[in-house]
Amino acid sequence: MFGEEQTDRRPVEGAVGLELSTLRLEQSGRVLTVWVDAPPFNYMTLSMQRDFIRLAEAVEHDVSIGAVVVTGARPGRFITHFDIAQISSQADGTPEISRAVAQNLYRSVRAMTGLAGERLVARSSLKALLAVTRFHDMALRLMHSPAVWIAAVNGPCGGGGLEMSVFFDMRVSADRDAGFSLPELSLGLNTSLGGQRLVQLVGPSRALEMMLEARFYTPQEALELGLVNRVVPAEDLLDTVQRMAERYARRPRKAVALQKRIFNDAPSLSARASLNQEAVAALMSMSSPVTQAAMRRWVQMQEGTNGDSVFLTQPEPWTEGTALDMNVPARGATPP
């Protein structure tokens, strides 16, 4: 959705130390839990956009984090949708423009992204468009993040909240209080962030139907659409997602980032380019001391069997990520 100027470029910090106005952060082990706290209705706002931009950048550089869980701090509220009053105040009275003009404006602002260019745009009437490009960059950062991002949806997830959450790696919904909606068309608006990503999840026909309906879909409907990965009892939601995150956080960050690029870039690449990307990733992972240590550990465990696959005979250490520490310094990994 719309955004506002952000003229300061603060240094990247450890994620849990960030001071954010709409998000509360708690880290336990390699899992960062993010509480969306924007009372009273948990609307997405300009401030929340800025907070997620800073958070995504910090997580990318914070090697202590393997997974991020995002949930609503308000009972029965996730991210309801973008604050329509803020959009209205920015859009009211602006002249209507054509598609060609809109394209040229966006390309011009995108071409000026760089410290000096951004400072100029931030002082102009195009500052809101600059913020949109930054939020787009944040979405791409989520898709390529070395951490696994999971939305624990405990309330309404609509509009800008849903558009952002489709860029997360997974969405787990509570069986009550949660709902999913894209009501933009009922106001004459279009998606500004997550439309194409939504189509990848549910298909173009279902995505358009969802927008035309402009209603909140139930958790079970969202599961059937492929919009969410799981629906769990509301009282178990956070515990379930945090336990998932703990397991996923044990996977090596570099390998996770490479695999996310393979999956998430595939729709925009030719078959040849996609195969090239996978070949490069495979070569990089096989050369990793951590990966080599893991394979040695697998062979060591196999020696105690009749030669059958350890994934069949002793699967738990591998599914749980406890066979060895995969997030030690690059010189290698050792069994726990």
Side-chain angles (χ1 to χ4, degrees), residues 44-57:
M44 176 172 279
T45 61
L46 307 173
S47 295
M48 189 183 292
Q49 283 189 330
R50 292 198 307 270
D51 286 349
F52 272 109
I53 289 169
R54 290 187 62 204
L55 175 64
E57 184 176 7

Side-chain angles (χ1 to χ4, degrees), residues 4 31 33 67 79 95 111 144 151 153 156 160 171-172 177 191 207 247 276 308 324:
E4 67 179 9
V31 177
T33 300
I79 302 175
H144 297 153
V153 182
R171 289 148 300 282
V172 180
D177 298 327
T191 56
R247 289 193 295 114
N276 289 345
D308 203 352
L324 77 170

Side-chain angles (χ1 to χ4, degrees), residues 14-303:
V16 76
L18 291 175
E19 294 183 5
L20 307 172
S21 63
T22 66
L23 308 176
R24 292 193 284 106
L25 311 179
E26 298 176 9
Q27 185 169 353
S28 176
R30 295 183 54 76
V31 177
L32 181 70
T33 300
V34 180
W35 301 87
V36 181
D37 195 4
F41 302 116
N42 265 23
Y43 288 137
M44 176 172 279
T45 61
L46 307 173
S47 295
M48 189 183 292
Q49 283 189 330
R50 292 198 307 270
D51 286 349
F52 272 109
I53 289 169
R54 290 187 62 204
L55 175 64
E57 184 176 7
V59 168
E60 181 177 317
H61 295 91
D62 190 338
V63 297
S64 73
I65 295 173
V68 180
V69 175
V70 178
T71 195
R74 306 277 115 188
R77 292 280 174 168
F78 182 65
I79 302 175
T80 306
H81 51 68
F82 204 99
D83 187 344
I84 304 302
Q86 283 196 344
I87 301 176
S88 177
S89 66
Q90 285 198 326
D92 197 36
T94 58
E96 187 172 11
I97 60 175
S98 67
R99 178 182 177 87
V101 170
Q103 287 177 327
N104 288 333
L105 285 173
Y106 181 81
R107 289 169 182 163
S108 297
V109 171
R110 174 59 71 187
M112 295 181 72
T113 53
L115 197 54
E118 286 188 11
R119 286 174 177 168
L120 290 174
V121 176
R123 296 187 180 98
S124 74
S125 59
L126 297 177
K127 61 185 179 183
L129 187 53
L130 174 61
V132 170
T133 67
R134 287 174 176 165
F135 207 53
H136 286 183
D137 290 340
M138 183 279 302
L140 295 175
R141 199 183 289 273
L142 294 180
M143 292 174 66
H144 297 153
S145 174
V148 178
W149 288 70
I150 310 175
V153 182
N154 62 325
C157 176
L162 179 56
E163 288 187 48
M164 181 179 68
S165 70
V166 295
F167 285 93
F168 288 10
D169 300 301
M170 298 173 201
R171 289 148 300 282
V172 180
S173 175
D175 63 352
R176 64 175 186 272
D177 298 327
F180 302 85
S181 176
L182 282 175
E184 283 89 335
L185 284 179
S186 70
L187 294 167
L189 292 171
N190 293 101
T191 56
S192 63
L193 178 72
Q196 190 169 12
R197 182 73 169 170
L198 179 68
V199 165
Q200 293 170 12
L201 295 175
V202 307
S205 179
R206 292 295 193 184
L208 181 58
E209 179 185 28
M210 190 174 186
M211 294 196 69
L212 291 169
E213 287 287 336
R215 65 176 176 85
F216 275 92
Y217 282 60
T218 67
Q220 188 59 40
E221 287 176 312
L223 181 65
E224 293 169 358
L225 286 172
L227 184 57
V228 301
N229 297 75
R230 305 184 191 181
V231 175
V232 301
E235 60 272 18
D236 299 332
L237 175 65
L238 190 56
D239 182 61
T240 298
V241 176
Q242 286 179 329
R243 283 190 283 108
M244 290 169 58
E246 287 171 5
R247 289 193 295 114
Y248 301 159
R250 297 182 186 124
R251 312 306 186 201
R253 277 170 50 100
K254 288 183 179 179
V256 167
L258 286 170
Q259 195 61 52
K260 284 172 64 170
R261 283 184 176 271
I262 290 170
F263 288 152
N264 292 325
D265 293 353
S268 63
L269 298 177
S270 68
R272 174 61 65 189
S274 183
L275 289 170
N276 289 345
Q277 186 184 57
E278 291 196 70
V280 169
L283 288 172
M284 291 175 65
S285 61
M286 284 189 289
S287 69
S288 165
V290 171
T291 299
Q292 293 171 12
M295 291 190 290
R296 289 195 298 270
R297 177 63 173 155
W298 192 95
V299 172
Q300 180 186 32
M301 292 173 66
Q302 185 194 36
E303 290 172 354

